[in-house]
Amino acid sequence: MATTKQKKKKKKKGIAIPFLATILISLIVIGAPAFYLYNQITYEEPTVDDTEYYGNYVPKSEDSYTILFILDLDDTDGQDTFMLLRTMPIVNTFACVPIANSTLSTYENTSDTIGNIYLKNGVSGVRSAVESTFEIEIDKYIKLNEQSFQKICDILGGANYYIPSDVRGFNKGQMYLSSKQIQTLITHYEFNDDDRCYVVGSLITSMISQAMGDRVAENLDNSFNNLINIMDTDVTTIDYKNGKKAIQYMFSSNEYLAQYKIPEGSYNADSQFIVSDDFKLELAEWFSGILDSTENVTGTDITDQTESVPVDTTTSDVQTSDTQVADTTTAE
């Protein structure tokens, strides 16, 4: 027979269990909405780090830079190649100017061609000569050898390009060019300076235009790290960080154009090319963004051509220039 104490214990247990259950249910019913309300009051939207996300970049004129590119293969198979590239985010343009080796210039009070000044005085000499000849300021230089030039072409993805029928080693017509083929073509020994200026301008701008998209923009850090130690340049890591978002934005936007202008002028009796004063003025306006990116565009999309690009293989007395539009067909 149960004692009085045992009955009291059972009675206490019977009361405690429903009491605890009531408390738990009350906490769930009241606490869950209270917790939700607290989260709504204290929640803060996640912020995007503007230093990393190039989609927030706003084009500025001060983000325009002029770079002198030099391709020096350090052998006799190809010619040294010179080109100005100006990035202009504010007017949606990559502006390229191929420079003929025979361009007459002055360095340290001595007149000579751009090609000879480079051979005798190196990067510093040709940089000074190009600045004085074209009356512009060069912000940075990049000197490329075979390895670094082909690496850049691989990063951009090569190019679809129309090959003239009279170029040895290449088939006539539209074809995809690998990095090695691009190097061979722009330094081809059969080209005179007029031919090479056309090929350098049209081919490089076609490659840039066909590379537009997030692929290049999103991998810019890796590309810079892979290139910085295999090329000669005064571009620093700080320079890269300062200009990174502008370059990413330009490559990721379909609104940007890669265009080129071939310098205009005349040849003297020694077959040295003399840049005209009119072209210097036009170049200054183009590089400053005064000229609209579509003004004086006379080049055509060369993807639909069925005949050879007309290239004059004779030395002309006068060389003229218009802004040319690059081939934008994406490489397959």
Side-chain angles (χ1 to χ4, degrees):
M1 184 177 225
T3 63
T4 303
K5 288 183 178 180
Q6 289 174 330
K7 288 180 180 180
K8 287 181 178 180
K9 286 181 179 179
K10 288 181 179 180
K11 189 175 182 180
K12 288 180 180 179
K13 288 181 180 179
I15 295 172
I17 292 174
F19 179 71
L20 291 173
T22 301
I23 292 175
L24 289 173
I25 292 171
S26 299
L27 288 173
I28 292 172
V29 172
I30 299 173
F35 181 74
Y36 174 79
L37 181 60
Y38 174 79
N39 275 344
Q40 292 300 308
I41 294 173
T42 60
Y43 177 75
E44 293 182 4
E45 287 285 344
T47 57
V48 177
D49 185 356
D50 285 347
T51 62
E52 296 297 330
Y53 183 51
Y54 55 84
N56 291 336
Y57 170 77
V58 177
K60 301 182 292 292
S61 59
E62 56 264 33
D63 288 338
S64 296
Y65 292 95
T66 302
I67 302 173
L68 173 63
F69 277 87
I70 303 168
L71 175 57
D72 185 348
L73 301 181
D74 198 26
D75 58 31
T76 57
D77 293 336
Q79 302 181 59
D80 294 332
T81 304
F82 308 96
M83 186 189 77
L84 292 170
L85 172 66
R86 182 163 175 82
T87 58
M88 297 189 292
I90 198 69
V91 290
N92 305 349
T93 305
F94 289 91
C96 301
V97 180
I99 301 173
N101 290 45
S102 61
T103 302
L104 186 62
S105 186
T106 301
Y107 177 68
E108 294 184 343
N109 299 319
T110 301
S111 295
D112 208 339
T113 64
I114 290 289
N116 286 338
I117 290 174
Y118 174 66
L119 291 175
K120 297 173 183 178
N121 303 281
V123 171
S124 61
V126 75
R127 177 175 182 167
S128 175
V130 169
E131 286 182 325
S132 64
T133 299
F134 291 92
E135 297 180 0
I136 60 167
E137 181 178 349
I138 295 173
D139 298 302
K140 300 292 177 180
Y141 79 88
I142 295 177
K143 177 183 173 181
L144 304 170
N145 57 17
E146 181 175 348
Q147 179 188 12
S148 52
F149 177 78
Q150 291 187 29
K151 185 67 176 178
I152 289 178
C153 294
D154 288 337
I155 289 170
L156 295 177
N160 279 313
Y161 189 71
Y162 190 88
I163 305 297
S165 59
D166 57 348
V167 180
R168 186 174 302 177
F170 292 89
N171 296 324
K172 173 187 175 180
Q174 190 82 14
M175 66 177 292
Y176 169 77
L177 297 178
S178 67
S179 56
K180 178 64 175 177
Q181 290 172 316
I182 293 172
Q183 175 186 294
T184 300
L185 190 60
I186 68 174
T187 61
H188 207 289
Y189 63 91
E190 287 188 0
F191 290 140
N192 61 33
D193 270 359
D194 289 352
D195 299 345
R196 287 210 318 126
C197 280
Y198 169 78
V199 171
V200 171
S202 59
L203 179 49
I204 297 302
T205 51
S206 291
M207 180 167 58
I208 293 174
S209 295
Q210 292 166 25
M212 295 297 185
D214 288 333
R215 177 184 62 83
V216 173
E218 291 173 355
N219 290 284
L220 203 60
D221 284 344
N222 289 334
S223 299
F224 178 78
N225 291 332
N226 289 333
L227 285 168
I228 191 63
N229 292 321
I230 60 173
M231 63 185 186
D232 178 9
T233 181
D234 58 352
V235 176
T236 66
T237 301
I238 294 176
D239 294 329
Y240 167 71
K241 289 181 178 179
N242 290 338
K244 172 184 172 182
K245 287 178 66 176
I247 298 300
Q248 286 181 314
Y249 184 83
M250 292 180 74
F251 269 105
S252 64
S253 174
N254 292 326
E255 298 178 357
Y256 282 80
L257 298 173
Q259 298 178 319
Y260 66 97
K261 284 182 180 290
I262 297 177
E264 62 181 32
S266 60
Y267 286 91
N268 62 19
D270 296 322
S271 298
Q272 296 169 328
F273 180 69
I274 303 172
V275 180
S276 71
D277 291 336
D278 287 342
F279 180 79
K280 295 175 186 179
L281 178 60
E282 182 183 353
L283 184 63
E285 292 177 343
W286 194 37
F287 275 14
S288 68
I290 294 176
L291 291 180
D292 183 78
S293 59
T294 60
E295 187 174 343
N296 292 330
V297 176
T298 58
T300 56
D301 187 337
I302 60 176
T303 57
D304 296 328
Q305 291 176 340
T306 57
E307 298 181 358
S308 301
V309 176
V311 179
D312 185 5
T313 57
T314 62
T315 302
S316 60
D317 293 329
V318 179
Q319 190 176 37
T320 60
S321 169
D322 283 307
T323 306
Q324 308 292 318
V325 179
D327 180 355
T328 56
T329 304
T330 304
E332 297 178 355

